[in-house]
Amino acid sequence: MLITLEIAKESSIGNKILNSNIDLLSPKHCFLSILLLQEKINPISKWKHYLEILPKLYINFPVFYKAEEMKELEGSPFLDQIKQKTMDIRSDYDSIIKAIPEFNKFTFEEFMEMRMVVSSRIFSIKVAGRKTDCLAPLADMLNHKRPRQTQWYFSDDIKSFVIKATQDIESDEQVVIIYLDL
């Protein structure tokens, strides 16, 4: 079951965002993050099992680095990129809270965690000739590795996300994907 951008926009908060004309810096990531946050607190969510296997800690994402880790990056342009990314996520969060006060039931840290989930797992696909973005549970658990061993796409014929081997894969070999579709 794919979690598409269209499903996210149809969620209660997603719909309110669309109707409020908020100018988000990263709209597709925000919509999908918001849906995940809503579904995480929904006891009958159809994505419950997927949400349960997501990471519990996000310390490997630079936006969550502690002061000592940030100190090691002093002098690096990467430090400025981390700070800018955090400010951009904060800006989107604050814009959503301002337009939809009920969203304050989710903390900034929870929102940032879901943004990292989405940004590290999002797939761009075409469904019926229309480009969209989605989360593809289980497919997003595969590791990234070059050279290409598989290709992924959405099949309109079978209405499913497909990962297809582009070469022989030994039975004891890990199946990997390239997250950026080339």
Side-chain angles (χ1 to χ4, degrees):
M1 268 190 312
L2 298 180
I3 303 171
T4 65
L5 185 54
E6 290 72 23
I7 292 169
K9 288 179 178 180
E10 291 170 5
S11 72
S12 62
I13 296 175
N15 198 283
K16 289 176 183 176
I17 289 172
L18 286 174
N19 292 328
S20 67
N21 296 317
I22 301 172
D23 187 23
L24 298 168
L25 297 172
S26 187
K28 64 184 178 183
H29 289 154
C30 284
F31 280 109
L32 287 164
S33 298
I34 288 165
L35 177 67
L36 291 180
L37 286 168
Q38 292 175 97
E39 291 300 317
K40 198 171 179 181
I41 62 172
N42 176 0
I44 59 168
S45 172
K46 62 182 167 184
W47 294 293
K48 179 182 186 306
H49 297 296
Y50 173 66
L51 294 166
E52 288 173 346
I53 63 172
L54 291 174
K56 304 297 180 239
L57 298 173
Y58 296 86
I59 57 175
N60 60 328
F61 288 94
V63 295
F64 291 107
Y65 283 179
K66 302 289 182 215
E68 60 271 10
E69 294 163 312
M70 296 293 253
K71 187 173 174 59
E72 291 181 29
L73 294 172
E74 283 181 7
S76 166
F78 189 54
L79 186 59
D80 291 333
Q81 291 174 350
I82 295 168
K83 289 177 182 176
Q84 185 62 53
K85 177 55 78 178
T86 303
M87 288 180 353
D88 289 350
I89 295 170
R90 170 58 83 173
S91 174
D92 281 344
Y93 177 79
D94 290 344
S95 295
I96 295 165
I97 293 286
K98 184 177 178 185
I100 300 132
E102 71 189 75
F103 190 68
N104 72 4
K105 65 183 163 196
F106 302 111
T107 66
F108 173 63
E109 184 161 304
E110 289 172 317
F111 180 68
M112 201 156 62
E113 288 173 352
M114 285 305 116
R115 283 287 300 270
M116 295 305 100
V117 165
V118 169
S119 67
S120 65
R121 290 171 166 74
I122 195 167
F123 291 91
S124 290
I125 58 173
K126 282 189 178 178
V127 178
R130 295 185 65 197
K131 188 176 187 278
T132 191
D133 296 286
C134 73
L135 300 174
L138 300 182
D140 65 7
M141 300 292 174
L142 296 175
N143 287 322
H144 167 87
K145 183 180 175 188
R146 292 182 190 268
R148 179 180 290 278
Q149 176 194 67
T150 59
Q151 67 182 44
W152 51 265
Y153 57 92
F154 183 84
S155 169
D156 289 320
D157 294 336
I158 62 172
K159 296 182 181 10
S160 185
F161 189 88
V162 174
I163 299 175
K164 180 180 175 183
T166 58
Q167 63 188 43
D168 290 340
I169 302 171
E170 298 297 322
S171 63
D172 63 344
E173 192 177 353
Q174 180 181 181
V175 176
V176 296
I177 62 174
I178 293 179
Y179 276 95
L180 299 174
D181 192 25
L182 305 174

